[in-house]
Amino acid sequence: MQRRYVTVDVFTDRAFGGNPLAVVLDAGGLSTAQMQAIATEFNYSETTFVLPPQHAGNDAQVRIFTVRSEIPFAGHPNVGTAFVLATEAAKPPPRLKFEEKAGLVPVEILLEQGRIVGAELTAPQPLKRLTQVSAEQAAACLSLSAADVKTDRHAPQMASVGLPFLMVEISSREALRRAKPDAAAFARTFPLDGSDAVYFYTRDVPAGEKPLDLQARMFHPGASGLSEDPATGSATAAAAALLADLDDARDGEFKLRIGQGVDMGRPSLLLTRVKKQAGAIASVHVGGGCVKMMEGTLQVAGEGG
């Protein structure tokens, strides 16, 4: 059986930027092992598999695989999958609702002059602030010193709105650029709260990178050792929620423009919105642009057709 796939670059408005994603559109009948093998073959940070919804009123069941394992939720896979399904539809819907292991994920389709340009997801879970680690331990994971870690707003802390990450604020753009993953320090730190990844950011954004509010990077285990992700929507959403939660304002909508992937040559722009009511986080959103890159078919060994 020939199965269609589309690849897109997510959180960008131009080809060869953002984070690549493969979307397998005809995933019915594939086993978990086959999905994992296909994701490993694509070798992107994630691959999604679109299945019929299990409940009426939802648009699709979406399963998300890294090159190593299935995960319950991720940012750019939702944004990219929604973009692909909307562009494939005869009559593009204004929003989609995906069933995922972390829960239901609503995704709004973004239009510019009537053209589909991207999508914005709503995080499936409330903000969870989990284990804190020392500045020294977090810095070691990044081959930095404790002096490069800022702790005035928050200590390095695990946070999640569907997928957990270690959140670390870095003191300068120069230190952010200088960071490298340290395998021994990662092994001492992770797994922690179900995570094996570090998302780190700085408020020290130079004039040439404005109007960004933050620049960020993310390190995690890849197919062969530690690697960097060019755009991490789930981590960005958790970071935005954490920062809004720490803000003294009890009500309002907090918006951020966050860059990622710049230092690895795949610049990305992630736009976040966090709604806060009576001192509590009410909803968390992250979105951005998408660019269709490739399409084709695949056939799994042993299948007919």
Side-chain angles (χ1 to χ4, degrees):
M1 175 181 174
Q2 298 290 324
R3 300 177 185 275
R4 290 185 60 226
Y5 69 85
V6 176
T7 77
V8 287
D9 287 344
V10 182
F11 293 124
T12 184
D13 62 358
R14 64 203 64 186
F16 308 111
N19 200 350
L21 173 74
V23 181
V24 179
L25 295 168
D26 308 312
L30 288 173
S31 68
T32 296
Q34 288 171 323
M35 292 182 189
Q36 184 64 71
I38 292 168
T40 302
E41 180 77 9
F42 275 115
N43 200 31
Y44 290 163
S45 57
E46 283 100 11
T47 297
T48 61
F49 297 84
V50 180
L51 299 156
Q54 295 182 329
H55 301 284
N58 300 329
D59 295 286
Q61 179 187 5
V62 177
R63 296 181 67 179
I64 306 169
F65 287 75
T66 72
V67 295
R68 293 160 54 92
S69 64
E70 185 172 10
I71 56 176
F73 165 72
H76 98 280
N78 276 289
V79 170
T81 301
F83 172 82
V84 169
L85 294 183
T87 56
E88 291 276 324
K91 183 179 180 181
R95 65 190 59 83
L96 294 164
K97 189 178 288 185
F98 295 152
E99 300 168 354
E100 299 179 14
K101 290 187 179 297
L104 290 177
V105 181
V107 190
E108 299 285 328
I109 304 303
L110 303 179
L111 302 175
E112 283 185 5
Q113 300 178 338
R115 184 173 65 92
I116 300 167
V117 295
E120 180 195 69
L121 68 85
T122 300
Q125 296 179 5
L127 172 66
K128 297 175 184 174
R129 296 175 61 175
L130 305 166
T131 304
Q132 293 188 355
V133 305
S134 69
E136 290 79 7
Q137 187 175 2
C141 291
L142 308 174
S143 304
L144 298 175
S145 71
D148 293 317
V149 175
K150 285 180 68 70
T151 58
D152 58 320
R153 283 206 289 187
H154 67 87
Q157 181 172 31
M158 301 298 301
S160 173
V161 290
L163 191 68
F165 295 84
L166 178 59
M167 301 288 165
V168 185
E169 181 171 2
I170 302 301
S171 60
S172 69
R173 182 68 180 89
E174 184 276 331
L176 187 85
R177 185 178 294 109
R178 180 162 37 91
K180 297 178 181 179
D182 183 287
F186 258 77
R188 292 193 300 269
T189 304
F190 299 105
L192 181 64
D193 293 334
S195 175
D196 56 6
V198 181
Y199 178 87
F200 54 110
Y201 69 92
T202 185
R203 289 177 277 169
D204 178 35
V205 179
E209 296 178 352
K210 296 289 187 180
L212 295 177
D213 300 295
L214 309 174
Q215 276 283 15
R217 300 176 69 186
M218 195 277 274
F219 295 155
H220 66 117
S224 55
L226 295 172
S227 64
E228 181 168 1
D229 198 41
T232 318
S234 50
T236 305
L242 175 62
L243 295 176
D245 193 46
L246 292 167
D247 196 286
D248 290 336
R250 293 180 54 78
D251 297 276
E253 185 175 62
F254 301 79
K255 295 183 178 181
L256 292 172
R257 295 171 60 89
I258 302 176
Q260 192 180 337
V262 174
D263 295 327
M264 60 182 297
R266 292 197 67 100
S268 307
L269 175 62
L270 300 93
L271 307 175
T272 67
R273 296 187 300 119
V274 180
K275 294 181 179 179
K276 196 172 180 182
Q277 297 175 354
I281 302 298
S283 63
V284 182
H285 315 265
V286 62
C290 298
V291 178
K292 183 177 178 179
M293 293 297 294
M294 295 181 281
E295 60 183 318
T297 60
L298 60 87
Q299 183 168 316
V300 178
E303 290 193 323

